[in-house]
Amino acid sequence: MNTDVEFLDQQRMKFLKWYLIGFAIFMVLMLTRHFFRLGGLNSQPIGNAVLVGLLLTLVLQVICVTRSALLERDIHRDPRLEVALNNELVKSLVTQSWIAAYIGASAMSLFFAITWSFYPICDPVTIALSTIIAGAGASRAYFYFRYKTS
Amino acid sequence: MREMPLKNKIKVYRAINDWTQEELAKRVYVTRKTINTVENGKFIPSAYLALKIARAFGVTVEDVFQIDDGIPTDE
């Protein structure tokens, strides 16, 4: 394993960047699919295209999360790397990112609550999953942008 | 942004030793971003990191870091 801290830090941010790209597209497509269903468009070619895009972005997220987790495991195994890469700045941002997760999940719940006033939403699983995914994404996005700009 | 009550002379010691942030980061075994954020007072380093930075310069921690909270010291 490469023990160059600069390289590992860049790798970590690279996985996070691609995860966020996948997350952003996934959220847009998931909401598109939700509204397509209301209009009966999901069985149309455009609906299938959205589904394919949804699955591809999901695969991208899974790959990034898995590779990120493997990298974190390697970092945890080496005390020197752990101190070098998971320093106070990182720990502080991780703690702060929980607030972003809460705001993201709340915003998504609010969005569905408002949407419910205009359209019938009869899929609690979609709402629950969207809220969790939005919270996780907001948390990771907060960490990424704060770390990048610090 | 709120000012950190911990001043440092990392930039001064880097200049004395003619080191870049990257060079210091390699010697201390942290990322360049860590050095940059500590140097610019964006976050307070741990005692361990402060000791490692001071040791890299061959000086004491007090030479590199000073508390700046307005309370006068005994010196």
Side-chain angles (χ1 to χ4, degrees):
Chain A
M1 185 196 153
N2 192 330
T3 55
D4 179 359
V5 288
E6 211 65 53
F7 172 78
L8 293 174
D9 192 45
Q10 282 168 10
Q11 283 286 100
R12 179 163 66 178
M13 295 310 280
K14 190 179 83 178
F15 295 146
L16 196 50
K17 182 181 81 179
W18 281 104
Y19 167 81
L20 289 174
I21 290 169
F23 162 77
I25 300 170
F26 180 84
M27 288 307 287
V28 170
L29 292 180
M30 193 168 67
L31 292 174
T32 305
R33 191 163 168 78
H34 179 72
F35 288 107
F36 272 11
R37 191 177 59 186
L38 300 173
L41 289 169
N42 274 345
S43 54
Q44 303 294 318
I46 191 165
N48 292 331
V50 169
L51 180 64
V52 170
L54 206 57
L55 292 173
L56 287 175
T57 51
L58 194 64
V59 168
L60 177 64
Q61 286 179 79
V62 169
I63 290 170
C64 291
V65 167
T66 307
R67 292 196 67 181
S68 212
L70 290 173
L71 183 66
E72 280 300 321
R73 189 193 62 179
D74 290 340
I75 290 169
H76 286 312
R77 280 181 178 170
D78 187 335
R80 283 190 76 201
L81 287 178
E82 172 74 15
V83 171
L85 289 161
N86 291 336
N87 55 33
E88 289 74 21
L89 177 66
V90 172
K91 285 175 183 164
S92 155
L93 290 180
V94 167
T95 307
Q96 287 173 38
S97 66
W98 279 102
I99 299 166
Y102 175 77
I103 292 169
S106 302
M108 187 51 78
S109 302
L110 191 68
F111 170 79
F112 276 114
I114 292 168
T115 309
W116 208 333
S117 307
F118 303 101
Y119 301 99
I121 300 173
C122 307
D123 193 351
V125 176
T126 302
I127 295 171
L129 279 177
S130 306
T131 305
I132 292 167
I133 291 169
S139 159
R140 307 300 287 163
Y142 180 89
F143 178 86
Y144 179 81
F145 291 112
R146 283 299 305 275
Y147 189 74
K148 273 278 190 193
T149 54
S150 63
Chain B
M1 192 179 162
R2 198 173 48 196
E3 277 286 303
M4 286 286 184
L6 187 73
K7 300 290 177 195
N8 71 75
K9 290 182 184 168
I10 293 176
K11 200 169 184 176
V12 173
Y13 280 105
R14 276 200 307 106
I16 290 168
N17 290 284
D18 198 20
W19 291 346
T20 60
Q21 285 185 345
E22 197 171 357
E23 200 166 343
L24 176 60
K26 275 183 184 164
R27 287 169 187 270
V28 179
Y29 200 63
V30 291
T31 60
R32 193 194 63 77
K33 184 175 280 294
T34 302
I35 295 297
N36 181 265
T37 49
V38 172
E39 186 175 305
N40 292 320
K42 288 186 178 175
F43 92 100
I44 297 173
S46 64
Y48 179 70
L49 180 56
L51 282 162
K52 285 211 305 185
I53 292 171
R55 192 170 67 179
F57 290 132
V59 295
T60 64
V61 175
E62 289 82 2
D63 290 331
V64 186
F65 298 96
Q66 298 87 36
I67 295 172
D68 185 25
D69 54 4
I71 301 170
T73 57
D74 292 340
E75 290 173 38

